[in-house]
C-alpha cells in the first residue's frame, strides 16, 4: 500500500505568506494549514489581518510573497471562478441580493454552475430545511422581510448550496444579538457535525472561537502568533493570546 | 378658451400628425441615448478615468442652448441638415447626461457587501453586472431615462425651427403671427405630453424596480405595449410615400408664401406636399434647399444676392434677377419666375395727404418735406441702402431730424398724425388697413426684393409639373394682394391656409 494513503493532505496550506493592502503589509510570514473537515477559527483584534487570510484562500487577494495552496494547488494556478465556486463564503453583512427572493439567493451558485432547474429547487429546499427555515414559509420571502438571524441563516445556506468542500466565514455572527448568536452557534455545530466541511472562521471573540473551532489561530499585527487547540492556547504565554483570553474571561 | 378649441378642431389632422412627430422624436432620441448612455455610465462607474471625462463632456453639451446646438450641427455631414436627423442628434446629446449620471450613480450606490458576495460566489465580472449590478441600478437608470424624456418633450419644441416637425410648429407659427391662440395650441399639448411621459415612465420605473417584486410577465407586457404604441405613432407621423417638401422662413409673409406655393403644387400638379414652415431664417432655408431637405421655398432677390451669394448691392431689378438666376443655376438650385410683388422698403404717407397733394412718386416728395416730420426704424437710419442715400437721391429735408421708432409702432404713429412720413415694409398688412399710401421709388433707389420661388434642381427635373404649377402664380401676387393676405393673417387673425385657398380660388 502507498504511504500517502495514511497521510491526510491538508486542504489549505499557507507557506510563509506575505500580503499587502495598498502600501501596508497586512500579513507577515504566515505559515499554517487546515485539515479536511476541520474548523479553524482565526482570532485577533481589528486590523490583525484575519479577513485578508480568508480572501487569500478564494483568491480575492493574492500573496505578495510565499504561497497559498488549496487542495495542493497554488491559488494562482486555480481559475478564480472555479476556486470560488468550490469555496462557500459567509459575510458579516450577509450581502444577500435584495432583488432576489430567499430561494433564488440560495440557488445563486448552482444557477451559475448551470444546474438543472429541478435540481436547484430540490437543493434549495434541502438547504433551507438544513438551516431551520421551512421552505414553504421562507422560499418566496424577500431579504428585507427577514430578521438579522434569519438573514444570516440564508447566507449560510447560500454558501453551502453547491456543496463546496471549503467554507469561509467572515465574522458571520458578529452583528447578531447574544441570544440569536448562541442559537446559531448550536445550529453551526449541528450542521458541521453532519457535513464535515473544511471551515475557516474569522471572529474577534475568543469565546465564539472556543465554542465552534477545533483549532484556533491568533493573529497579531499580521503575524500568526499561535495556532493550537483550546487547551494549548490557554497554556500559552504569548502576550497577544493572554490579552484576548483575559478580554473574553 | 373657445378659440383654442376651434383652432384644434379646424386643424385636427395636422394636430395629430404633429403630436405623432413630437412623440416619435422623443422616443427615438431617448432610446438612442439609452443605447449610448448606459454603457458610458457603466464605464463611468467602473473606470472613472475614462468615464469621468465623458461625463464632463455630456455636462458641457447640456449647457449649450438648444438653438445654438442646432446651429453647430446644421453644417455637419451625416447628422447635419434640416429635419428630423439634426433634431435627433441634438436630442440624443441632451438626453445623454441624465442617463450617464444616473447609471453611474445607480451602480456606485450598491452596497459593497453585495458586490463582495457576488465576487465570492464566483460570478464573473459580466455575470455580476447583468445579474446583480444592473438590476439593482435599474430604478436609478429608469429615473434618468424619465428625466431625459421629459426634457426631450420640451427640447423637441425648438426642433421645429429646423424643420423637424412636432408641436413646436404651432408655437413658432404663433410667435411669428403674434397670436397667443396658436402658441397655446402647441404649448398646451406639449405640457400635457410632458406630464403624460413622466407618468408613463413612472409606471415603468415602478414595474421594473426590484423593490416592486413585479412578475416578469407583467414587466415585459408593459414594455411590449409601449413599443407597440410607439411604432404606431411613428408610422402615422412620418408617411413613407414621396412628398414634396415646402419650407419657409419664420415670419407671417413667408408662412403665407409657403402655404401658397404648397397649395399651388397640390392643386395644379397633384403632388402630396409636406410643409416645413417657420424655419429659422435665410441661412437654414438655403442650406436645406442645397441638401434637398426641402424642395422649395420663396426667397427675395435682393436677399439672395447679398445674403446668400454675398455680392454687392445692385439696384436694377432685372439685373439682380439675371445675376441670381445664373448663380442659383450653377449651384443645383433653380429660380422660377417672380411672383409679382417686391418686398422692399416703402416710404409711406397718409392716404388723405397723398390724394390732397397728388403725391404718387418719391421724386414729388421733396416739395413737401420741409414742413413735415419723419420717423424711421433704427436699422433704416443706419444701413447703406437706408435714410442717408434716400435723402441724397431725392433731396429730402425735414423740419426736424427724423425720429427713431420701433417698426411695429411706425404705421400707427403715421396714421395718428404723430409724424408725416415713415419708412415701412412694402407688403405690411397695416398699409391697407390704416389707409396709408406707398410712394413709388421712381429713381430706383432701393434694391429690389422680388419674391421668387427657389427649387432644388433635382426635384424640378423629377417633377417638371412643379415648374408649371408655380408658373401659374407668376406675376399674380401683387404687392396689394400680399398686403391684403398679410393683414388677413396678422390683423384679422385669420388662418393662413384659408386665406391662401381663397386667393387661389380668386385667380381662376
Amino acid at each position: 500500500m502507498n504511504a500517502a494513503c495514511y497521510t491526510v493532505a491538508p486542504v489549505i496550506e499557507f507557506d510563509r505568506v506575505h500580503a499587502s493592502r495598498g502600501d501596508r503589509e497586512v500579513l507577515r510570514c504566515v505559515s499554517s494549514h487546515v485539515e479536511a473537515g476541520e474548523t479553524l477559527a482565526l482570532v485577533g483584534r481589528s486590523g490583525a489581518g484575519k479577513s485578508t487570510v480568508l480572501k487569500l484562500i478564494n483568491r480575492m487577494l493574492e500573496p505578495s510573497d510565499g504561497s497559498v495552496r488549496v487542495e495542493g494547488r497554488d491559488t494562482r494556478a486555480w481559475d478564480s471562478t472555479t476556486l470560488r465556486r468550490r469555496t462557500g463564503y459567509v459575510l458579516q453583512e450577509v450581502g444577500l441580493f435584495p432583488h432576489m427572493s430567499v430561494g433564488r439567493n440560495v440557488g445563486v451558485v448552482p444557477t451559475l454552475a448551470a444546474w438543472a432547474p429541478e435540481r436547484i429547487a430540490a437543493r434549495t429546499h434541502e438547504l433551507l430545511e438544513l438551516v431551520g427555515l421551512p421552505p414553504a414559509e421562507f422560499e418566496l420571502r424577500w431579504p428585507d422581510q427577514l430578521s438579522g438571524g434569519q438573514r444570516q441563516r440564508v447566507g449560510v445556506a447560500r454558501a453551502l448550496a453547491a456543496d463546496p468542500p471549503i467554507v469561509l466565514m467572515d465574522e458571520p455572527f458578529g452583528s447578531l444579538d447574544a441570544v440569536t448568536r448562541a442559537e446559531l452557534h448550536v445550529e453551526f455545530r449541528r450542521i458541521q457535525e453532519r457535513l464535515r466541511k473544511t471551515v475557516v472562521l474569522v471572529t474577534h471573540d475568543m469565546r465564539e472561537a472556543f465554542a465552534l473551532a477545533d483549532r484556533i489561530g491568533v493573529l497579531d499585527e499580521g503575524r500568526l502568533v499561535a495556532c493550537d487547540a483550546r487547551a494549548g492556547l490557554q497554556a500559552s504565554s504569548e502576550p497577544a493570546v493572554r490579552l484576548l483570553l483575559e478580554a473574553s474571561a | 378658451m373657445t378659440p383654442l378649441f376651434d383652432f384644434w378642431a379646424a386643424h385636427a389632422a395636422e394636430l395629430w400628425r404633429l403630436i405623432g412627430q413630437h412623440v416619435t422624436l422623443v422616443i427615438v432620441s431617448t432610446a438612442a441615448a439609452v443605447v449610448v448612455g448606459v454603457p458610458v455610465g457603466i464605464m463611468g462607474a467602473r473606470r472613472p478615468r475614462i468615464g469621468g471625462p465623458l461625463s464632463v463632456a455630456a455636462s458641457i453639451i447640456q449647457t449649450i442652448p438648444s438653438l445654438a446646438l442646432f446651429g453647430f450641427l446644421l453644417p455637419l455631414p451625416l447628422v447635419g441638415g434640416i429635419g428630423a436627423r439634426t433634431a435627433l442628434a441634438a436630442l440624443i446629446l441632451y438626453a445623454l447626461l441624465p442617463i450617464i449620471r444616473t447609471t453611474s450613480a445607480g451602480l456606485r450606490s450598491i452596497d459593497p457587501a453585495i458586490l463582495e458576495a457576488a465576487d465570492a460566489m464566483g460570478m464573473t465580472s459580466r455575470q455580476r453586472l447583468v445579474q446583480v449590478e444592473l438590476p439593482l441600478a435599474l430604478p436609478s437608470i429608469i429615473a434618468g431615462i424619465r428625466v431625459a424624456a421629459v426634457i426631450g418633450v420640451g427640447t423637441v419644441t425648438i426642433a421645429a425651427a429646423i424643420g423637424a416637425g412636432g408641436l413646436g410648429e404651432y408655437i413658432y407659427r404663433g410667435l411669428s403671427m403674434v397670436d397667443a391662440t396658436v402658441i397655446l395650441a402647441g404649448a398646451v399639448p406639449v405640457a400635457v405630453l410632458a406630464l403624460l411621459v413622466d407618468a408613463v415612465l413612472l409606471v415603468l420605473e415602478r414595474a421594473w424596480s426590484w423593490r416592486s417584486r413585479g412578475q416578469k410577465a407583467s414587466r415585459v407586457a408593459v414594455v411590449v405595449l409601449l413599443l407597440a404604441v410607439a411604432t404606431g405613432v411613428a408610422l402615422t407621423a412620418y408617411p413613407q410615400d414621396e412628398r414634396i417638401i415646402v419650407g419657409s422662413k419664420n415670419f407671417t409673409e413667408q408662412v403665407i408664401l409657403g402655404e401658397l406655393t404648397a397649395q399651388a403644387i397640390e392643386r395644379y400638379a397633384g403632388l402630396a406636399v409636406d410643409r416645413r414652415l417657420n424655419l429659422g431664417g435665410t441661412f437654414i432655408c438655403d442650406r436645406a434647399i442645397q441638401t434637398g431637405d426641402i424642395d422649395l421655398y420663396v426667397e427675395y432677390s435682393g436677399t439672395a444676392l447679398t445674403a446668400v451669394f454675398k455680392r454687392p448691392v445692385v439696384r436694377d431689378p432685372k439685373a439682380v434677377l439675371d445675376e441670381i438666376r445664373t448663380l442659383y443655376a450653377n449651384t443645383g438650385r433653380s429660380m422660377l419666375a417672380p411672383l409679382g410683388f417686391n418686398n422692399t422698403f416703402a416710404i409711406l404717407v397718409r392716404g388723405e395727404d397723398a390724394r390732397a397733394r397728388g403725391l404718387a412718386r418719391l421724386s414729388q416728395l421733396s416739395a413737401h418735406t420741409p414742413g413735415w416730420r419723419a420717423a424711421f426704424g433704427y436699422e433704416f437710419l443706419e444701413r447703406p441702402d437706408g435714410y442717408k442715400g434716400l435723402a441724397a437721391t431725392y433731396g429730402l429735408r425735414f423740419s426736424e431730424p427724423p425720429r427713431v421708432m420701433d417698426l411695429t409702432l411706425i404705421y400707427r404713429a403715421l396714421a395718428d398724425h404723430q409724424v408725416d412720413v415713415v419708412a415701412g415694409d412694402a407688403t405690411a398688412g397695416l398699409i391697407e388697413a390704416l389707409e396709408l399710401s406707398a410712394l413709388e421709388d421712381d429713381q430706383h433707389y432701393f434694391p429690389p426684393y422680388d419674391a421668387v420661388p427657389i427649387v432644388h434642381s433635382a426635384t424640378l427635373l423629377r417633377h417638371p409639373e412643379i415648374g408649371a404649377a408655380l408658373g401659374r402664380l407668376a406675376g399674380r401676387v401683387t404687392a396689394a394682394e400680399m398686403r391684403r393676405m398679410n393683414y388677413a393673417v396678422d390683423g384679422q387673425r385669420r388662418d393662413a391656409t384659408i386665406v391662401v385657398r381663397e386667393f387661389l380660388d380668386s385667380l381662376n
Side-chain angles (χ1 to χ4, degrees), chain A residues 55 81 84-85 99 142 144, chain B residues 116 119 122 131 210 213:
Chain A
K55 292 194 160 87
T81 304
R84 285 174 201 172
R85 291 194 190 153
H99 59 302
W142 296 83
D144 60 4
Chain B
E116 194 182 338
D119 286 338
Q131 298 181 20
W210 53 269
R213 277 126 210 201

Side-chain angles (χ1 to χ4, degrees), chain A residues 51-247:
Chain A
S51 299
T52 306
V53 171
L54 293 190
K55 292 194 160 87
L56 284 164
I57 296 171
N58 69 356
R59 208 188 160 189
M60 283 166 75
L61 291 174
E62 288 178 6
S64 51
D65 197 10
S67 69
V68 178
R69 283 188 296 276
V70 173
E71 295 175 345
R73 198 189 322 172
D74 193 296
T75 52
R76 281 166 294 201
W78 277 92
D79 168 53
S80 59
T81 304
T82 315
L83 176 61
R84 285 174 201 172
R85 291 194 190 153
R86 292 181 64 78
T87 319
Y89 199 84
V90 184
L91 295 85
Q92 176 174 1
E93 301 90 347
V94 194
L96 292 186
F97 301 127
H99 59 302
M100 296 181 186
S101 65
V102 166
R104 280 190 59 210
N105 260 290
V106 175
V108 164
V109 181
T111 308
L112 289 173
W115 289 16
E118 315 82 66
R119 189 173 161 215
I120 296 174
R123 181 66 179 163
T124 302
H125 283 207
E126 184 188 343
L127 281 164
L128 285 175
E129 293 283 8
L130 180 73
V131 298
L133 300 173
E137 190 185 338
F138 286 95
E139 188 181 10
L140 294 177
R141 286 225 204 153
W142 296 83
D144 60 4
Q145 297 167 329
L146 303 178
S147 70
Q150 288 167 336
R151 268 206 286 278
Q152 199 50 276
R153 287 166 193 258
V154 176
V156 171
R158 181 174 67 172
L160 294 172
D163 202 15
I166 302 166
V167 177
L168 309 175
M169 306 178 94
D170 194 351
E171 305 211 22
F173 313 122
S175 60
L176 303 176
D177 63 87
V179 177
T180 312
R181 191 184 314 168
E183 211 175 276
L184 282 178
H185 284 172
V186 174
E187 290 283 302
F188 175 85
R189 280 198 299 268
R190 180 178 63 77
I191 293 168
Q192 178 60 341
E193 200 70 31
R194 261 179 68 183
L195 303 180
R196 281 283 145 209
K197 300 286 182 192
T198 305
V199 178
V200 181
L201 176 141
V202 161
T203 174
H204 57 265
D205 179 356
M206 195 60 111
R207 274 172 301 184
E208 184 165 86
F210 284 149
L212 302 180
D214 301 315
R215 277 192 309 143
I216 294 129
V218 176
L219 279 162
D220 183 46
E221 293 182 354
R223 290 178 191 284
L224 187 64
V225 292
C227 192
D228 210 338
R230 180 176 190 158
L233 217 58
Q234 278 170 331
S236 168
S237 59
E238 181 69 40
V241 178
R242 301 286 353 146
L243 216 59
L244 282 165
L245 284 170
E246 279 156 29

Side-chain angles (χ1 to χ4, degrees), chain B residues 141-365:
Chain B
I141 294 172
I142 297 182
I145 295 172
R146 209 172 109 214
V147 170
V150 172
I151 292 175
V153 171
T155 313
V156 170
T157 311
I158 299 156
I162 52 164
L167 289 159
E169 280 199 9
Y170 284 155
I171 296 178
Y172 277 97
R173 199 180 298 173
L175 284 171
S176 70
M177 292 163 59
V178 203
D179 186 337
T181 305
V182 182
I183 298 177
L184 283 176
V188 170
V190 167
V192 173
L193 264 186
L195 293 174
L196 214 63
V197 165
D198 195 45
V200 166
L201 285 174
L202 190 65
V203 169
L204 192 71
E205 189 180 324
R206 297 251 167 89
W208 275 78
S209 165
W210 53 269
R211 288 179 209 282
S212 78
R213 277 126 210 201
Q215 290 303 302
K216 231 179 194 157
S218 71
R219 293 174 174 187
V220 172
V222 170
V223 171
V224 168
L225 191 74
L226 284 178
L227 282 180
V229 170
T231 315
V233 163
L235 286 178
T236 53
Y238 291 98
Q240 294 302 301
D241 51 331
E242 199 207 341
R243 300 165 80 90
I244 303 300
I245 302 164
V246 170
S248 85
K249 304 181 204 178
N250 50 355
F251 52 92
T252 305
E253 180 173 300
Q254 273 282 315
V255 173
I256 293 172
L257 291 174
E259 187 60 40
L260 177 65
T261 44
Q263 286 193 22
I265 292 169
E266 286 169 339
R267 201 182 267 230
Y268 305 131
L271 295 168
V273 178
D274 268 350
R275 291 154 176 79
R276 300 264 174 84
L277 307 183
N278 282 304
L279 299 176
T282 304
F283 172 72
I284 289 176
C285 284
D286 184 59
R287 255 209 74 80
I289 203 148
Q290 289 192 55
T291 56
D293 287 332
I294 62 175
D295 295 303
L296 163 80
Y297 81 103
V298 176
E299 188 51 279
Y300 303 101
S301 57
T303 309
L305 188 68
T306 56
V308 175
F309 296 111
K310 317 266 184 250
R311 299 296 162 104
V313 174
V314 172
R315 299 208 194 287
D316 175 27
K318 192 170 169 315
V320 174
L321 287 174
D322 287 343
E323 188 171 355
I324 63 169
R325 183 180 292 113
T326 314
L327 288 166
Y328 272 128
N330 291 340
T331 50
R333 292 160 280 182
S334 302
M335 188 193 99
L336 302 183
L339 296 177
F341 71 92
N342 177 0
N343 181 3
T344 182
F345 289 107
I347 302 302
L348 302 170
V349 297
R350 279 179 295 277
E352 57 201 72
D353 291 344
R355 276 191 304 276
R357 298 163 202 248
L359 260 178
R361 295 185 299 281
L362 271 175
S363 50
Q364 300 170 306
L365 188 61

